[in-house]
């Protein structure tokens, strides 16, 4: 297949994966650093799966204070999104769950500037409601009757999990390795595993289905989340305004309420 064909295929794939943001929840603060009356057009944001709930809300708020804009999202594992960007998928903004993943995009010359850390996130152990296996820490995950889901190590949540497990001196064999944190969490929600290492924000978003168990080693495996406008962003003005809104007081309030930590 020609290079043009590959890029066209990626564009179609990305389009299918885009999640249109709709709904209410408007804030009343103009996008920081931008004249809202001058901001129009569509912004396509590739964002880590763990940002799904927060960015969906922020996108709706951004549209409300910037009439004439529309934000569409593609949420997935950061590594998968970085690969798509480096292979030519159309996007304006990339928000990753780790600097390492962001570096694969900037090293390829696809960043439009220096990425900025806008939040941080910490792991917890997700367990079914009422914690039927009595999990209290990482060592409990090695029990012979405890099935565990982890993110794959090339995904930021998987890299953080490996770091925490190594710090605790815990060796375990997961029953599944998932490509993003939402997929790992779903294994707990569906009753397919007894525990998963996911972000605190994911447990908070799924509080009606799972409980979270904090563990001390997670403090040494906190992930920084960088964001950048991409070099070939088709809608750079709107993309700059969206990033500014994410970093504004309104955007940070949404992220903090979801359980993210300030950078």
């Amino acid at each position: 297949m020609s290079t043009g064909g590959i890029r066209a295929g990626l564009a179609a794939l990305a389009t299918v994966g885009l999640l249109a943001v709709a709904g209410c929840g408007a804030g009343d603060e103009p996008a920081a650093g931008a004249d809202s009356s001058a901001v129009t057009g569509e912004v396509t944001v590739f964002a880590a799966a763990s940002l799904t709930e927060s960015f969906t809300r922020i996108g709706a708020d951004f549209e409300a204070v910037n009439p004439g804009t529309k934000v569409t999202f593609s949420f997935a594992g950061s590594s998968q999104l970085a690969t798509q960007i480096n292979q030519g998928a159309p996007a304006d903004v990339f928000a990753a769950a780790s600097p390492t993943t962001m570096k694969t995009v900037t090293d390829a010359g696809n960043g439009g500037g220096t990425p900025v850390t806008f939040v941080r996130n910490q792991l917890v152990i997700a367990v079914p409601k009422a914690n039927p296996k009595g999990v209290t820490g990482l060592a409990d995950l090695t029990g012979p009757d405890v099935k565990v889901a982890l993110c794959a190590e090339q995904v930021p949540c998987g890299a953080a999990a490996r770091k925490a497990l190594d710090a605790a001196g815990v060796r375990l064999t997961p029953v599944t390795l998932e490509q993003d944190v939402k997929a790992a969490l779903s294994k707990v929600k569906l009753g397919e595993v007894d525990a998963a290492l996911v972000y605190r924000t994911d447990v908070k978003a799924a509080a009606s289905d799972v409980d979270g168990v904090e563990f001390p080693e997670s403090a040494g495996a906190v992930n920084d989340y960088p964001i950048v406008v991409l070099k070939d962003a088709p809608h750079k003005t709107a993309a700059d305004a969206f990033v500014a809104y994410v970093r504004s007081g309104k955007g940070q309030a949404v992220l903090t309420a979801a359980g993210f930590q300030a950078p």
Side-chain angles (χ1 to χ4, degrees):
M1 181 181 293
S2 67
T3 301
I6 293 172
R7 292 175 70 89
L10 286 166
L13 178 62
T15 300
V16 170
L18 293 176
L19 173 64
V21 174
C24 54
D28 55 5
E29 179 182 278
D35 177 0
S36 64
S37 65
V39 178
T40 59
E42 184 171 341
V43 184
T44 299
V45 180
F46 279 26
S50 49
L51 292 164
T52 300
E53 293 84 5
S54 301
F55 266 28
T56 298
R57 170 61 187 272
I58 287 173
D61 290 351
F62 177 80
E63 289 177 349
V65 298
N66 295 282
T69 62
K70 184 169 182 59
V71 184
T72 56
F73 290 110
S74 182
F75 295 112
S78 296
S79 300
Q80 178 184 351
L81 295 172
T83 298
Q84 292 177 4
I85 290 168
N86 287 341
Q87 292 181 340
D92 295 290
V93 174
F94 181 39
S98 77
T100 300
T101 309
M102 176 62 77
K103 191 172 184 294
T104 65
V105 170
T106 56
D107 282 356
N110 291 318
T114 302
V116 177
T117 298
F118 65 101
V119 284
R120 309 178 81 204
N121 210 354
Q122 195 162 338
L123 294 176
V124 298
I125 304 170
V127 296
K129 297 297 288 185
N131 193 5
K133 294 290 184 178
V135 173
T136 61
L138 293 178
D140 294 331
L141 303 182
T142 61
D145 62 340
V146 179
K147 293 184 291 186
V148 179
L150 296 179
C151 295
E153 287 193 36
Q154 67 269 29
V155 181
C157 62
R162 173 52 51 202
K163 190 173 182 179
L165 289 166
D166 287 347
V170 171
R171 298 288 180 267
L172 65 83
T173 302
V175 297
T176 181
L177 290 170
E178 299 297 327
Q179 292 304 309
D180 68 62
V181 71
K182 294 298 186 187
L185 180 65
S186 73
K187 296 295 183 180
V188 181
K189 295 168 68 175
L190 294 171
E192 296 179 7
V193 300
D194 303 301
L197 288 181
V198 300
Y199 294 118
R200 181 181 290 162
T201 53
D202 297 298
V203 168
K204 188 167 184 174
S208 61
D209 298 313
V210 302
D211 287 335
V213 178
E214 301 276 351
F215 59 97
E217 295 84 359
S218 68
V222 177
N223 275 7
D224 290 344
Y225 281 51
I227 190 168
V228 74
V229 174
L230 296 170
K231 184 188 69 175
D232 295 327
H235 308 97
K236 187 175 185 309
T237 299
D240 284 339
F242 177 79
V243 172
Y245 191 87
V246 168
R247 300 180 63 200
S248 73
K250 288 288 187 181
Q252 290 292 300
V254 172
L255 291 159
T256 300
F260 287 98
Q261 302 169 20

